[in-house]
Amino acid sequence: MTTSTSTVDLSFLAELGLEGTLSGAYNGSWLSCNGSKLTVNSPADGSKIGVIEQANAEDYEKVAAAAQEAFLRWREVPAPIRGEYVRRIGEEMRKHKEALGKIVSWEMGKILQEGLGEVQEAIDIADFSVGQSRMMYGLSMHSERPQHAMREQWHPLGVVGVISAFNFPSAVWAWNSMLALVCGDSCLWKPSSKTPLTAIAMTKVAAKVLEPEGWGALIGLVVGRGSEVGALMLDDKRVPLVSATGSCAMGKHVAEKLASRYGRTILELGGNNAAVILEDADLEMAFRSTLFGAVGTAGQRCTSTRRILIQKSVKDEFVSKLVEFYGKVPIGNPLADGTLMGPLIDQGAVDDVLASIENVKAAGGKILCGGEQVHPEGCEGGTYMTPCIAEVQNEWQVVQDETFGPLLYIIEVEDLDDAIAKHNDVPQGLSSCIFTSNMRHAERFVSAAGSDCGIANVNLGTSGAEIGGAFGGEKETGGGRESGSDAWKAYMRRQTNTINWGTELPLAQGISFDLD
């Protein structure tokens, strides 16, 4: 079902300083950019919401040079003091949470509850990073040589490049930048050109804390063409680490460029996430989880549920109910109360999903519901479609290739062994889950012989990770890890120290190397 919209209150644009023509480059101050202008339209109704002067190569150099200079000073600031700055940034984000959530929603298209949740995620990682600033532990090791001590410690790495995608325009930057800052690094952010206003807003909020004390360049920003400013970042030896979120093809390019200059990457790429539903599952729990996992964010999360691997004995009951509720999902203005599914990011995204649906039909699949472009009242200029369910075979190429939108595949499986085999038989490996009441089935799924993904859940869905755990996936998902656990180590360099506090010079392994 579609919902109508009333006049949208855009006062949050003024609160976040997003009115008028905006600069797309920040290096401690907002630059007068030399690139072409970028007009930003909301996918909700097609209306223009901003104009940005994009950064070009000259602007990139100004931002990168300032980030490098700031890093050289910042690395000597004690980590707990760096954490105090991040704490204050988190507090500033709290002050503007509602406005930030609204710009995420209106610019990207996810419903307001999800926009607010994304900003909360940014706040949460700031809180997490504050604690981490006092817990970047090294090791003390015993030396084989007398009167020697060995230790391992972690040092700041340098300028961290962040390339973010449109679907999480604030949280992904925060995952990287909050940790990078407490680790002693500076950041250089190249956001998606589909959601640049959110990037400018987040930078403005953080700059309120950093800029007055001379640290604004720590959060450098360049809004510009990937072929220009993005390419410069990949080749920039001042940027030892690039964290990139996007498609598998984009990630492969980033990995090759960084490897050619011995740089590091954190890659968060495609997912083809499956939920295994066994005949002993709590079907109501599985149903509610699938509805959010597949329909939330219009299927544009990297952790969105793409495939349902379900046993035959419960398939008809589960699918029948899912189809019924798919037809009732309120679609429309993402800021309106009651909306559960907003627009896709642009017409190109809609066209990609529609093309995949045609490929499903050509392969012999059955469309069970949805899959049409729609134009809700009051949102006629937006890019909306009804969520689609299709019955398919796992080995079909259209299923093997992730479609980034609200297209859910139903795949019948015989038993747990068949489910795990089909689950793992895709190139991507981000998120996974199983619904079962059998402890042995659950433990098998999260064992080394089970899911091959970076995330494996039991009796909860593929989507909705908490910041406390390391986030990322295997295979063509890239192998990167961000956010919690020990992900902070990616933003630092490891150093082993051996200290001789004696008066002799014994060599390791008992080697004798004397002239006498």
Side-chain angles (χ1 to χ4, degrees):
M1 60 181 285
T2 58
T3 61
S4 61
T5 180
S6 58
T7 302
V8 178
D9 178 6
L10 299 180
S11 59
F12 57 86
L13 294 174
E15 178 181 337
L16 297 172
L18 299 178
E19 293 183 312
T21 300
L22 301 166
S23 167
Y26 179 77
N27 71 345
S29 61
W30 293 97
L31 304 179
S32 178
C33 293
N34 298 297
S36 60
K37 289 184 179 179
L38 173 66
T39 300
V40 184
N41 298 305
S42 171
D45 63 1
S47 62
K48 184 174 77 172
I49 53 174
V51 177
I52 299 171
E53 292 179 346
Q54 296 186 96
N56 65 4
E58 181 182 344
D59 302 315
Y60 172 87
E61 177 56 33
K62 292 176 181 177
V63 176
Q68 172 67 6
E69 187 278 332
F71 160 69
L72 296 176
R73 294 184 291 119
W74 184 245
R75 65 183 177 178
E76 297 195 57
V77 175
I81 296 177
R82 300 193 296 249
E84 170 60 15
Y85 280 93
V86 169
R87 184 194 67 78
R88 289 164 54 196
I89 293 173
E91 289 301 309
E92 201 64 36
M93 287 191 285
R94 278 186 174 88
K95 292 178 186 177
H96 298 282
K97 177 182 174 179
E98 184 173 355
L100 289 169
K102 286 181 176 179
I103 187 58
V104 168
S105 180
W106 196 241
E107 185 179 37
M108 184 267 152
K110 62 179 64 175
I111 64 173
L112 180 56
Q113 280 298 306
E114 292 188 72
L116 294 171
E118 180 177 343
V119 177
Q120 185 61 51
E121 197 168 0
I123 294 167
D124 289 345
I125 195 63
D127 289 348
F128 180 94
S129 300
V130 175
Q132 192 69 72
S133 70
R134 294 181 181 270
M135 297 187 296
M136 292 183 284
Y137 301 133
L139 294 173
S140 176
M141 298 162 284
H142 291 282
S143 172
E144 67 186 61
R145 289 170 281 186
Q147 297 184 324
H148 281 59
M150 291 181 66
R151 71 186 183 205
E152 180 181 274
Q153 57 182 332
W154 295 86
H155 293 310
L157 182 62
V159 180
V160 173
V162 180
I163 300 174
S164 61
F166 73 85
N167 59 334
F168 279 86
S170 64
V172 169
W173 170 75
W175 283 0
N176 286 278
S177 61
M178 298 300 103
L179 281 175
L181 287 174
V182 299
C183 288
D185 304 323
S186 60
C187 293
L188 179 52
W189 187 11
K190 194 279 179 199
S192 168
S193 294
K194 298 180 180 182
T195 51
L197 291 178
T198 300
I200 291 173
M202 294 295 289
T203 300
K204 284 179 176 286
V205 168
K208 289 182 180 181
V209 173
L210 297 173
E211 187 177 318
E213 299 188 39
W215 294 115
L218 291 172
I219 50 168
L221 175 70
V222 284
V223 176
R225 301 179 186 276
S227 59
E228 188 166 6
V229 297
L232 288 170
M233 180 190 293
L234 300 186
D235 289 331
D236 194 341
K237 291 185 178 180
R238 293 168 296 188
V239 184
L241 168 67
V242 172
S243 175
T245 303
S247 68
C248 295
M250 182 272 275
K252 183 178 181 181
H253 175 69
V254 171
E256 290 173 347
K257 295 293 286 185
L258 267 291
S260 71
R261 62 176 177 87
Y262 302 100
R264 302 187 197 176
T265 57
I266 299 173
L267 299 176
E268 300 291 355
L269 311 175
N272 202 343
N273 316 298
V276 172
I277 302 176
L278 302 182
E279 57 190 5
D280 60 3
D282 181 330
L283 291 185
E284 177 63 25
M285 183 181 291
F287 164 75
R288 288 189 287 114
S289 170
T290 300
L291 195 61
F292 173 71
V295 174
T297 323
Q300 297 174 116
R301 290 181 176 225
C302 47
T303 55
S304 289
T305 307
R306 309 287 180 206
R307 298 177 292 145
I308 298 292
L309 303 169
I310 188 165
Q311 284 190 283
K312 183 177 181 179
S313 60
V314 293
K315 186 183 79 172
D316 289 347
E317 176 186 354
F318 180 84
V319 173
S320 176
K321 186 174 182 180
L322 197 61
V323 168
E324 176 188 354
F325 275 81
Y326 258 50
K328 299 178 181 179
V329 172
I331 302 170
N333 175 8
L335 291 179
D337 292 340
T339 300
L340 290 184
M341 181 174 155
L344 277 73
I345 186 64
D346 55 25
Q347 185 60 43
V350 175
D351 291 342
D352 286 345
V353 179
L354 295 177
S356 290
I357 291 172
E358 291 305 311
N359 289 336
V360 167
K361 294 176 182 177
K366 181 180 180 182
I367 304 302
L368 303 180
C369 71
E372 303 92 15
Q373 184 160 10
V374 293
H375 303 282
E377 180 185 350
C379 297
E380 287 82 1
T383 46
Y384 299 84
M385 68 175 296
T386 56
C388 181
I389 303 175
E391 194 162 356
V392 300
Q393 298 297 316
N394 196 68
E395 66 272 15
W396 293 350
Q397 190 60 51
V398 67
V399 179
Q400 295 284 309
D401 297 331
E402 180 191 28
T403 297
F404 210 64
L407 175 56
L408 178 66
Y409 297 129
I410 304 297
I411 301 164
E412 187 177 301
V413 296
E414 296 178 6
D415 53 24
L416 179 59
D417 287 340
D418 187 35
I420 290 175
K422 286 185 169 69
H423 174 279
N424 293 347
D425 191 24
V426 293
Q428 311 84 359
L430 179 52
S431 186
S432 61
C433 69
I434 188 171
F435 287 90
T436 179
S437 298
N438 187 308
M439 178 268 290
R440 289 174 177 166
H441 291 162
E443 289 292 342
R444 164 80 184 283
F445 186 75
V446 299
S447 75
S451 166
D452 64 358
C453 291
I455 300 169
N457 298 329
V458 176
N459 292 331
L460 71 158
T462 63
S463 192
E466 299 180 32
I467 59 92
F471 179 89
E474 302 299 325
K475 302 190 292 187
E476 289 187 10
T477 300
R481 292 297 184 274
E482 295 171 321
S483 191
S485 186
D486 65 348
W488 61 271
K489 292 181 178 180
Y491 305 90
M492 305 195 82
R493 59 182 179 88
R494 187 196 311 244
Q495 185 180 82
T496 300
N497 309 134
T498 305
I499 297 95
N500 179 359
W501 51 273
T503 58
E504 303 296 325
L505 189 64
L507 299 177
Q509 294 83 48
I511 293 174
S512 177
F513 199 77
D514 294 324
L515 291 174
D516 297 335

